[in-house]
Amino acid sequence: MVFAAPYQTYIPLPFDSGEEHKDHEAVLSMVPIHIVTHASQLPKEFLFPSSKNHLIVGFDCEGVQLCHYGTLCIMQLAFLDAIYLVDVIQGGEKLMKACKPALESSFITKVIHDCKRDSEALYFHFGIKLHNVMDTQIAYSLIEKQRGRRRSSDNPISFIALLADPNYCGISYIEKNDIRVLLKKASDPKFWTYRPLSKMMIQAAVDDVRFLPYVHHKIMEKLNEQMLWKLAIRGALHCRCFCVNDKGFLDWPPIPTIPDNIKAKGNALEEETLSVINVPSGRMGLVIGKKGASILSIKNSCNADILIRRDKGPSDKVYIIGPVKQVRMAEAIIKGRIY
């Protein structure tokens, strides 16, 4: 990685001019890194989304136990001409309120790898309903399916593995691995809370988003019309799956239906849905089974993603995402085991 200390870095771009990276064919552009503590430091086109200016933004969040009960510390935004590290600790609720329209906008595509925890933290801490995401982890599984291969939802591709794949980026990510090892060795749960941000913190945060706009470009080259619809729907469902409250998902925007242009072609697509099953105390073992045998059997029986939260404390919910008939089948099997 090239990291010009302390506030510049290279990002790969799908353009026809610029410098070629030694590890892959891509145009490199040196861009500034901005640490944001006030909304005025963010681009106006981000703060005020418009149908006249659709943006593609690499997106990620960092924090302490990033989920419902954790702490959101940094939100990273990668544009084609700059990277912004939104300091949530310093900027607080006022800064995040200013970002809310963009994060909920249909006119800004947020490119992220595994959106669930980030969305959960944004929703429960700031009331933000993350919308219009391209989840690269979901995209990879759909491309594999389009090619006739199926990747188990138990073994989703990691961000590092995705970047190493020459079909998406094909870069060496050794430096990022080194940083993650250092973080793991430090075993410091408060790492992202320290201020001012150290060079290592900035580098780690930037690395999680600087490649995402380019990966978006490569994904869009590969997916057909049907799979693009599935990607949009799965992204929307994954964004909300860990955000259920007493109202269910009534305060979230409706899930889009199958577009008429796809229906007109006679494609046999089924609407997709999300189901959340509340598991009575002490019954989750019946769902998971010995060494995971039960849940694996259910997953093999149904063409749906079945998720169980891995927070501290007992798990009490099962989340099922997929075509309606497959979700209903998984529901019936799981409920048959716990009741």
Side-chain angles (χ1 to χ4, degrees):
M1 171 185 173
V2 178
F3 186 82
Y7 300 118
Q8 285 184 306
T9 191
Y10 282 114
I11 63 170
L13 300 174
F15 294 156
D16 297 326
S17 62
E19 181 184 347
E20 194 171 282
H21 193 285
K22 64 180 180 180
D23 292 332
H24 63 102
E25 293 184 358
V27 175
L28 293 183
S29 176
M30 179 72 84
V31 301
I33 301 167
H34 302 289
I35 298 176
V36 177
T37 58
H38 191 276
S40 61
Q41 298 168 289
L42 288 166
K44 288 184 179 179
E45 60 267 29
F46 177 78
L47 294 174
F48 305 101
S50 169
S51 60
K52 298 178 181 179
N53 189 18
H54 193 128
L55 301 178
I56 309 295
V57 179
F59 178 77
D60 192 33
C61 296
E62 308 289 355
V64 179
Q65 296 181 355
L66 198 62
C67 63
H68 187 166
Y69 302 105
T71 302
L72 178 60
C73 300
I74 298 174
M75 183 175 73
Q76 305 104 288
L77 306 168
F79 293 77
L80 295 180
D81 58 357
I83 292 177
Y84 297 84
L85 304 183
V86 179
D87 191 336
V88 182
I89 290 179
Q90 296 292 322
E93 188 169 350
K94 184 177 181 180
L95 177 57
M96 293 305 293
K97 184 177 180 180
C99 294
K100 180 180 168 78
L103 298 179
E104 296 185 344
S105 174
S106 298
F107 308 130
I108 300 178
T109 299
K110 281 70 68 174
V111 188
I112 183 173
H113 191 83
D114 191 3
C115 64
K116 298 186 292 295
R117 292 299 193 183
D118 302 66
S119 181
E120 180 184 5
L122 289 168
Y123 179 72
F124 285 109
H125 291 276
F126 299 103
I128 294 171
K129 296 179 280 292
L130 187 61
H131 178 62
N132 191 25
V133 303
M134 173 189 268
D135 190 314
T136 58
Q137 191 173 78
I138 298 171
Y140 181 88
S141 68
L142 291 174
I143 291 169
E144 290 294 285
K145 183 177 181 180
Q146 185 176 282
R147 292 172 173 169
R149 301 189 291 263
R150 183 178 176 184
R151 190 179 184 98
S152 170
S153 59
D154 284 338
N155 185 33
I157 190 165
S158 70
F159 188 45
I160 291 174
L162 180 71
L163 294 184
D165 189 326
N167 292 308
Y168 298 92
C169 212
I171 65 149
S172 171
Y173 219 38
I174 295 173
E175 292 178 75
K176 180 175 171 63
N177 275 323
D178 289 343
I179 289 173
R180 292 305 186 189
V181 168
L182 287 173
L183 295 181
K184 185 175 182 180
K185 285 182 177 179
S187 299
D188 186 353
K190 296 183 179 180
F191 178 84
W192 291 109
T193 67
Y194 299 132
R195 297 298 180 270
L197 296 173
S198 68
K199 179 179 177 180
M200 189 172 79
M201 294 170 74
I202 293 171
Q203 183 174 333
V206 167
D207 267 353
D208 277 348
V209 291
R210 70 187 182 107
F211 304 104
L212 287 172
Y214 183 76
V215 173
H216 172 272
H217 167 75
K218 301 300 287 185
I219 287 171
M220 293 299 290
E221 289 181 334
K222 295 174 173 58
L223 284 173
N224 63 32
E225 197 173 44
Q226 292 185 38
M227 289 302 183
L228 283 172
W229 176 78
K230 282 182 174 288
L231 177 58
I233 297 302
R234 295 275 175 95
L237 293 173
H238 277 252
C239 271
R240 68 188 66 194
C241 71
F242 290 167
C243 300
V244 64
N245 58 24
D246 293 340
K247 298 179 181 178
F249 301 104
L250 293 177
D251 54 343
W252 286 73
I255 296 294
T257 56
I258 300 174
D260 291 337
N261 63 317
I262 295 181
K263 288 181 179 179
K265 294 178 181 178
N267 295 314
L269 282 177
E270 186 179 357
E271 300 287 356
E272 304 217 350
T273 190
L274 161 67
S275 174
V276 181
I277 299 177
N278 291 306
V279 179
S281 178
R283 310 291 283 181
M284 186 60 77
L286 298 175
V287 178
I288 297 174
K290 187 176 182 179
K291 295 184 179 180
S294 179
I295 192 68
L296 182 60
S297 172
I298 298 170
K299 290 179 178 181
N300 289 335
S301 301
C302 309
N303 184 22
D305 291 338
I306 302 175
L307 308 169
I308 298 173
R309 295 177 53 124
R310 301 295 183 186
D311 290 339
K312 288 185 177 181
S315 301
D316 62 353
K317 290 181 173 61
V318 176
Y319 307 83
I320 312 169
I321 296 173
V324 173
K325 289 181 181 178
Q326 298 298 318
V327 169
R328 299 296 174 244
M329 183 187 304
E331 278 182 333
I333 296 173
I334 292 171
K335 289 181 178 178
R337 298 191 181 192
I338 61 177
Y339 295 114

